[in-house]
Every structure is written in structure tokens, then in C-alpha cells.
Amino acid sequence: MVKPVLREVLTVAVTAGVVLMTQDRPFEWSLWTAVAASLLLPLRLRWPWLASLLCVPAVAGGLGWAPALVAQYRLGRKEKSIPVQVFWVLLMTVASIAPVLMTQTIPIGPLLLATAFAFGLAAAPTALGALITTRKELTQSLYETRRARAAELEAQETSARAAERARIAREIHDAVGHHATLIAVESAALAATAPDPAVRETALRLRALAKESLSEMRAALGLLNSDTTYPSLQELIERARVAGVSVTLSETGDTPLSPAVSRALFRVVQESLTNVTKHAPGATVTVTVDRATPVRVSVVNGPGDLPPLGDGGGAGLHGLSERVRLAGGTLTTSYRADGGFSVSAVLPPGKPKVDGQDSTLGGGARDAATA
């Protein structure tokens, strides 16, 4: 609060000082109208037009240009209408020239020069104020645009992650639901054929638990069953080659992988080849898979020799990153110096299935499952 007050005091003091130091006073009323306009300059903060209006008689008296410049600057800052701004500039110009025309005879040349000078003197601060306001508004607009763009990108990333989670949830539903169904069916068959009542009771209880688990999983996931199957990497590479992509596959290691890691690895290669097809047609691609501990997969492509087919606005990499993260790994993407692109992932091997069952089961559970 103190700084604005000091600024206004300084503004009034400077303009009034300029007026008082002026020795040439064309009319008897020139001094007091100019001083009054200087003292009333704080009105421009609330009513810019009023401050400019009070400067008109001061400008007509020949001593009011100092406060008029300040008032016109404020008017340019706050007034949005260009015709209104032009009106006040012309009014100041007429106010400064009219007394001279009424009291003196001036040739046309000096008169035009004096008119142009007065017009420029009134227009310059008005235009400066308008330009500063326009620049401020444009800066704010650019800031809002960047913020909206950032929000849009965040929404796209969130949507991609949600879609990937939903797809993973469907796969979980397929895998777990299949085994739970088999448990329920085999338990029912055991209950129907076992001669021992205790065995039949246990089998029926297992069947009820399996059905209850399946219902709870479906309710938690909120998904319908889907028949999602995956070809091998070699089949995926062959499909890409048939589509015209030059791909080289290198596989090493023989560590068994869990289904989740296998699917994540497959998706890394699939999404990378899709991106090459869209954004770098004609590029040479090298796919390297090391089935060690940890599992490493990289897809590196050179620059394309054909125009891109996509607009670069997809969210596939965001969803892919989420899938790899949920599998316990990390995904890294980077542009290469030669104009190509690199996608690499590091994944834990996980615990693969053993004899059709998940190896996370204990020995007793495996024995019961295979009995």
C-alpha cells in the first residue's frame, strides 16, 4: 500500500514541478489549470477519461502537456476501444492548436508541423499504454494456452494409463478366471464321484470358494471376459516384415518368464514396431531380447526415408510405460543422434508357470492342483 501512494506522490510532484518551472505562460489561467491537472492526476486510477478531460484546459493553456502525457498513458492502458482512444488524442491536439489559431496568424506550413507535433505528443503515450496492455493480455493468453496444453497432455497420459490398466485387468480376468473355473468344475466332478462323504464335502466347499473368488474378481475388475491371445515374437517380426518393415531379431538367454512379463515384452516390441511403421516408414529396425536376469529388450530404428504416416500425438508409449511399470520393470525412450529412436525395457523374469500352474504355489498346493 505504501509503494502505490509514494508513486502517486512522486507523479504529482514531478508533473507539478515541470509546470512550475516553465517560464513561458501564454495566458493568465495557464498556470493554475496546469497545476490543478497535475494535482488531480490520481483520479486517473479510477476514471482515466476524467483525468484526460481535466488536462484539456491545461493543454489549451500551453502548460498542461506534462500531466496530459501521464493521463493519456493511463487512458491507453485502460481504454479498450480504439475509436475512443483516437477521440481523446484528437481532442488533445485540437485543444493545443485552437488557442494558437485564435491568437496568432500562422502560415500553413508551420501550422501543419505544429499540428503533427501535437498529435504525436498526444498519441505516443496513448499508444504506449495500449501496447503494454495488449502485450500483457497476450502473455496471459499464451500462459493459459500452455497450461491448457499441459492439462491436455496430462489427460491423454492418464487416459492411456487407464486404458492399459483396463487391458491388463482383462488379461488377469482371463487367466485367473480360467483356472478358477477349472477348479470349480473339477471340484464338482470330484464331489459327484468320490465315495467318501468328507471328500465330497471338501470338494463342494472348494467349488463354492472357487465360484465366490471368481465372482469377487469379476466385481472388482468390472470387466467382461475376452479372448486375448499373443503370437510369438518371431511371428510378430514376420508380420512386420510382410508389412514392409526391415527388422532384425536377436534373442539370447533361456530364462523362463512369467505370463505378465511375457505380455509386457511382447507389447514393447509390438508398440515399437507400430510406431516405426507410423512415424519412420522405411527405417531399419533392430530388436534385441536378452532373456537373462533381468530381462532386457530394446527396439532401435534408424531415420525413416519416407514421410511419416502419423501426427505424433499418440499415447501408446504412455500406456506401454504403465504396462512395463505394473510388470515391475522400467521403460526408457530416447531420440538418437542419427535421427532414429530407441525404446528399451528392463523387466524382472517373474515366476513362470510350472506344469500349467503358477510356480508361486507351494509344493502342497501344486500337488493338490494336479491330483
Side-chain angles (χ1 to χ4, degrees):
M1 183 63 182
V2 177
K3 289 184 178 180
V5 173
L6 291 177
R7 184 173 63 244
E8 290 306 307
V9 171
L10 184 61
T11 300
V12 171
V14 170
T15 53
V18 171
V19 171
L20 293 174
M21 287 188 297
T22 305
Q23 298 298 323
D24 185 15
R25 298 171 183 177
F27 307 101
E28 294 181 358
W29 45 270
S30 297
L31 180 61
W32 67 263
T33 54
V35 171
S38 299
L39 295 176
L40 295 175
L41 274 177
L43 292 175
R44 78 191 189 284
L45 300 178
R46 187 175 182 88
W47 302 290
W49 62 270
L50 181 57
S52 294
L53 182 63
L54 293 174
C55 289
V56 171
V59 169
L63 302 181
W65 277 113
L69 293 177
V70 178
Q72 286 297 107
Y73 172 78
R74 181 67 180 183
L75 184 72
R77 286 295 307 271
K78 295 301 180 181
E79 181 55 57
K80 304 295 184 182
S81 174
I82 294 180
V84 174
Q85 295 176 1
V86 173
F87 166 77
W88 284 104
V89 170
L90 293 177
L91 183 60
M92 290 291 178
T93 304
V94 172
S96 65
I97 296 299
V100 178
L101 292 177
M102 291 186 296
T103 58
Q104 301 178 28
T105 301
I106 303 178
I108 187 65
L111 177 61
L112 292 177
L113 184 61
T115 303
F117 178 77
F119 181 83
L121 202 59
T126 308
L128 179 62
L131 287 175
I132 291 178
T133 298
T134 301
R135 181 181 179 277
K136 183 178 179 181
E137 292 176 349
L138 287 176
T139 302
Q140 181 66 25
S141 176
L142 289 175
Y143 170 75
E144 294 295 337
T145 301
R146 286 195 297 267
R147 188 170 65 175
R149 177 58 177 167
E152 179 184 359
L153 292 176
E154 183 178 358
Q156 289 179 353
E157 183 172 351
T158 301
S159 176
R161 289 180 176 179
E164 191 66 17
R165 286 194 184 103
R167 185 163 55 183
I168 294 173
R170 285 193 296 269
E171 293 175 358
I172 293 174
H173 175 272
D174 290 346
V176 179
H178 172 71
H179 293 297
T181 301
L182 289 179
I183 292 173
V185 171
E186 293 184 12
S187 298
L190 179 61
T193 57
D196 190 344
V199 174
R200 288 198 299 272
E201 182 180 353
T202 301
L204 291 175
R205 186 167 62 252
L206 287 176
R207 179 175 181 271
L209 290 174
K211 292 178 65 178
E212 182 179 354
S213 299
L214 186 59
S215 299
E216 290 180 356
M217 182 189 66
R218 286 172 174 168
L221 296 178
L223 298 170
L224 296 175
N225 196 4
S226 63
D227 297 326
T228 302
T229 58
Y230 294 90
S232 66
L233 280 181
Q234 189 60 47
E235 292 174 337
L236 181 63
I237 297 300
E238 291 299 330
R239 292 178 185 178
R241 288 171 178 167
V242 171
V245 182
S246 177
V247 190
T248 301
L249 174 63
S250 174
E251 290 187 275
T252 57
D254 56 358
T255 302
L257 306 181
S258 68
V261 173
S262 297
R263 287 190 289 267
L265 189 152
F266 179 86
R267 286 296 187 192
V268 169
V269 178
Q270 183 184 51
E271 182 66 26
S272 300
L273 292 177
T274 300
N275 287 340
V276 171
T277 304
K278 292 170 56 179
H279 306 301
T284 300
V285 186
T286 301
V287 180
T288 304
V289 179
D290 182 11
R291 301 177 187 270
T293 304
V295 180
R296 299 180 183 274
V297 55
S298 69
V299 182
V300 179
N301 66 272
D305 54 12
L306 296 173
L309 303 178
D311 57 2
L317 290 179
H318 294 301
L320 188 61
S321 176
E322 182 69 7
R323 171 180 282 269
V324 171
R325 187 186 69 81
L326 292 177
T330 58
L331 183 75
T332 304
T333 61
S334 63
Y335 289 95
R336 295 167 52 84
D338 61 356
F341 195 73
S342 171
V343 178
S344 59
V346 179
L347 296 160
K351 296 183 179 180
K353 293 181 179 180
V354 178
D355 296 333
Q357 301 297 329
D358 196 324
S359 64
T360 57
L361 295 173
R366 286 197 301 271
D367 294 340
T370 55

